[in-house]
Amino acid sequence: MATLQAREIPQILARYGIDAPEPHRRDAATVWDLELDGERRRGLRLSLIHDARPGGVLVVWAHLAPPLGDGLRKAYRRLLEWNDRYLFAKFGIAEDGRPVLSIEMRAEQSTETDLVEALARAVLIADRLLDETAAWIWIGGRIPDDDGSPRRNAALLAALPGLAERLEG
C-alpha cells in the first residue's frame, strides 16, 4: 500500500460521503475541519491533521463536547478511564477546556485504510460514549430525538465491518 499524501485526502473523504472543505495550511501541516455522523452521535466535529514533515503525524482530533465547567476533576477521571478502555485512542482536555478524542498515526507510514479506520474509530467511540457525554453536550443531558434523516458518511461506517467490536481493549 502506498503512503497517504495530503493531496489524496479530499478524494478519499469524498468516496466515504464526507464533505471536505478547503483545508487550512500551516507550515507542512494540512488541516481539514470535518463534521461526521455516527449511528447515534450526529454532527461530531473533527479536525483531520496531516503533517508531511519527516516524522510527522496523521491525527484525527474529535471535539467530544464544549468546554467543561465545574465538573472538570470528575470529567478528567472519566477521560483517563476511557484511555485505558479504548485501544488506539487518546482522551484529553484541550486548552479551551473541551474534552477531546484523538487518534494518531505516523503520517509517513499511513495509508488510505489507516485514515478511514481512524475516522470511523472516532465516530464509533463518540457513538458508544454518547450517553456518558450527553450532560457535557446538552443542557440537562437530554439527547435530542432522532429526526430519522439519513446519516452523512454512512459509507465510512460500512467500510469497516467488525470495527465496533474491536474498539475496546
Side-chain angles (χ1 to χ4, degrees), residues 4-6 8-16 18 32 34 36 47-50 58-60 103 105 109-122 156 160 163:
L4 183 65
Q5 302 295 314
E8 301 168 320
I9 290 176
Q11 292 82 23
I12 294 168
L13 296 175
R15 280 199 297 273
Y16 293 93
I18 300 170
W32 292 266
L34 307 173
L36 303 180
S47 294
L48 173 59
I49 305 161
H50 183 278
L58 179 64
V59 178
V60 173
I103 298 168
M105 300 157 280
Q109 296 174 341
S110 296
T111 64
E112 176 178 336
T113 302
D114 296 327
L115 170 61
V116 170
E117 183 171 327
L119 290 167
R121 187 178 295 277
L156 173 73
L160 295 159
L163 179 60

Side-chain angles (χ1 to χ4, degrees), residues 70-84:
D70 297 333
L72 190 58
R73 190 172 32 213
K74 183 178 177 184
Y76 187 68
R77 188 175 318 117
R78 184 174 291 170
L79 293 170
L80 290 174
E81 290 169 6
W82 293 340
N83 276 328
D84 286 340

